[in-house]
Amino acid sequence: MLIATWNVNSIRTRLSQIIDWINQVNPDIICFQETKVMDDNFPIEPFEKLGYSVEVYGQKSYNGVAIISKIKAENVKKGFYGCKDFDQNIGIFLDQKRLISAEINGIKIINVYVPNGSSLVSEKFRYKINWLNCLASFLDEQEKKGQLICLMGDFNVAPSDLDIHDPDKYAGGIMASEIERNALNNVLKERLIDSFRIFEKNKSDWSWWDYRNNSYELNKGWRIDHIYISKELSSKLKSCVIDSSPRENIRPSDHAPVMIDLNLNDINVDFFDIEDDFFEI
DNA sequence: ATGGCAGAAGCATTCTGA
């Protein structure tokens, strides 16, 4: 099962590029961020024609997330819910459409667009840290239910200096600060694993390149888009790749898609083996 | 240190992003 995440920076502007990429790669599930469109104006039909169901949670001009899936998405939820200690002021996090979740194939798919935060002295930075703390609480509740989790999206945090093209230049700044890394680690705790780092212990690959300063041509990027999975799923993980090819398109998104291949077939094989044994008896 | 590039709204320019 191929599961991808992609900050497309406007679903409508990028639509033909996205369809081209789907036709090449044929993912089962894609989580989009920065769709930048209200739900009524989301281009649902092009995805339905390719066999996907579409779940959207958008707003005007900014933010916006969506999940498209070839497998039925159940228990679709928009925004945070059931976050301990955050219930009273959860409204400030629901104004901005940054999270959508669903259960697909028995796995809780959580698609997030974490606030950028602007700079460490900004009010937006406080919002970012509070948002991540609310996400941690949200995951605590999922963990209590025993859910297998796949948490992905644009986190706007480089987890380590390996994930920045020039870590010295950006040390301690936005997307690289200890405060943000600690907040991210508090979301992950010991329960979620960075799919990319299972395969690449020391490699630097980027998922985002600034539009300015010829950053892509100079390969000056960051790895800020991530797919985290429950550690119980790690033995099912076959690959994790960042596909930078769409970044070479004309008028590209500034982000590249990230994709994992999760081998859930052997779960079904085990199931059918038991069935066969049963009938042989 | 600042701006550079891009999208949306909407028609000149501002706001936001990372």
Side-chain angles (χ1 to χ4, degrees):
Chain A
M1 185 165 70
L2 296 174
I3 305 173
T5 176
W6 193 1
N7 179 325
V8 291
N9 187 15
S10 172
I11 194 91
R12 290 178 292 182
T13 297
R14 227 62 66 194
L15 185 59
S16 66
Q17 297 180 38
I18 297 167
I19 297 299
D20 286 347
W21 188 76
I22 289 174
N23 283 328
Q24 288 171 35
V25 176
N26 196 26
D28 297 285
I29 302 168
I30 311 179
C31 292
F32 295 117
Q33 304 88 37
E34 282 209 269
T35 53
K36 293 187 171 178
V37 64
M38 289 194 285
D39 294 352
D40 288 346
N41 295 328
F42 192 103
I44 290 173
E45 290 79 10
F47 298 106
E48 288 183 336
K49 278 183 184 169
L50 294 175
Y52 293 93
S53 65
V54 181
E55 300 292 345
V56 297
Y57 188 43
Q59 67 183 86
K60 200 174 178 178
S61 301
Y62 308 116
N63 309 318
V65 285
I67 300 175
I68 67 167
S69 175
K70 289 188 172 180
I71 307 151
K72 182 171 171 53
E74 296 173 294
N75 197 23
V76 177
K77 300 276 192 183
K78 300 176 180 183
F80 289 120
Y81 61 93
C83 301
K84 198 165 173 286
D85 302 327
F86 286 91
D87 289 345
Q88 287 174 354
N89 59 0
I90 209 165
I92 65 166
F93 301 121
L94 295 181
D95 290 341
Q96 301 183 16
K97 313 308 185 193
R98 295 179 176 276
L99 185 150
I100 186 169
S101 62
E103 286 170 42
I104 302 175
N105 245 355
I107 297 173
K108 182 90 173 183
I109 301 289
I110 306 171
N111 175 16
V112 296
Y113 174 44
V114 178
N116 170 263
S118 190
S119 79
L120 269 64
V121 294
S122 169
E123 183 59 34
K124 291 175 184 173
F125 186 78
R126 290 169 51 83
Y127 185 88
K128 179 180 193 175
I129 299 304
N130 287 333
W131 198 94
L132 284 166
N133 289 340
C134 192
L135 180 61
S137 173
F138 178 71
L139 279 157
D140 290 345
E141 296 305 310
Q142 304 310 315
E143 189 178 30
K144 282 180 193 166
K145 296 181 200 164
Q147 285 271 9
L148 291 171
I149 286 163
C150 185
L151 167 67
M152 77 198 92
D154 175 359
F155 286 78
N156 274 315
V157 179
S160 81
D161 285 351
L162 269 179
D163 303 309
I164 309 171
H165 66 87
D166 187 346
D168 293 338
K169 179 179 177 182
Y170 297 102
I174 193 70
M175 302 195 293
S177 72
E178 281 306 303
I179 298 170
E180 288 158 273
R181 287 174 177 172
N182 289 339
L184 175 58
N185 286 331
N186 190 42
V187 171
L188 306 178
K189 293 197 171 73
E190 303 301 316
R191 59 195 167 203
L192 293 171
I193 293 170
D194 183 345
S195 297
F196 180 81
R197 285 281 168 238
I198 289 183
F199 301 101
E200 303 291 354
K201 297 293 179 210
N202 302 302
K203 192 179 176 190
S204 290
D205 267 359
W206 319 130
S207 69
W208 172 79
W209 300 258
D210 200 314
Y211 281 124
R212 299 164 290 189
N213 307 317
N214 265 336
S215 298
Y216 183 72
E217 288 73 12
L218 300 170
N219 200 27
K220 293 184 173 178
W222 297 57
R223 193 175 70 91
I224 55 177
D225 301 85
H226 310 298
I227 302 181
Y228 296 105
I229 59 170
S230 294
K231 61 181 179 185
E232 293 85 355
L233 289 171
S234 59
S235 65
K236 314 285 185 199
L237 189 63
K238 289 158 70 177
S239 66
C240 177
V241 294
I242 305 175
D243 184 0
S244 61
S245 64
R247 188 64 174 80
E248 298 181 10
N249 292 342
I250 296 166
R251 289 182 76 194
S253 168
D254 42 353
H255 294 255
V258 184
M259 184 166 68
I260 61 169
D261 189 356
L262 209 51
N263 184 13
L264 297 180
N265 292 327
D266 56 343
I267 293 175
N268 295 328
V269 167
D270 290 343
F271 176 74
F272 288 121
D273 283 346
I274 291 166
E275 293 274 296
D276 289 342
D277 291 342
F278 178 78
F279 284 111
E280 279 169 18
I281 293 167

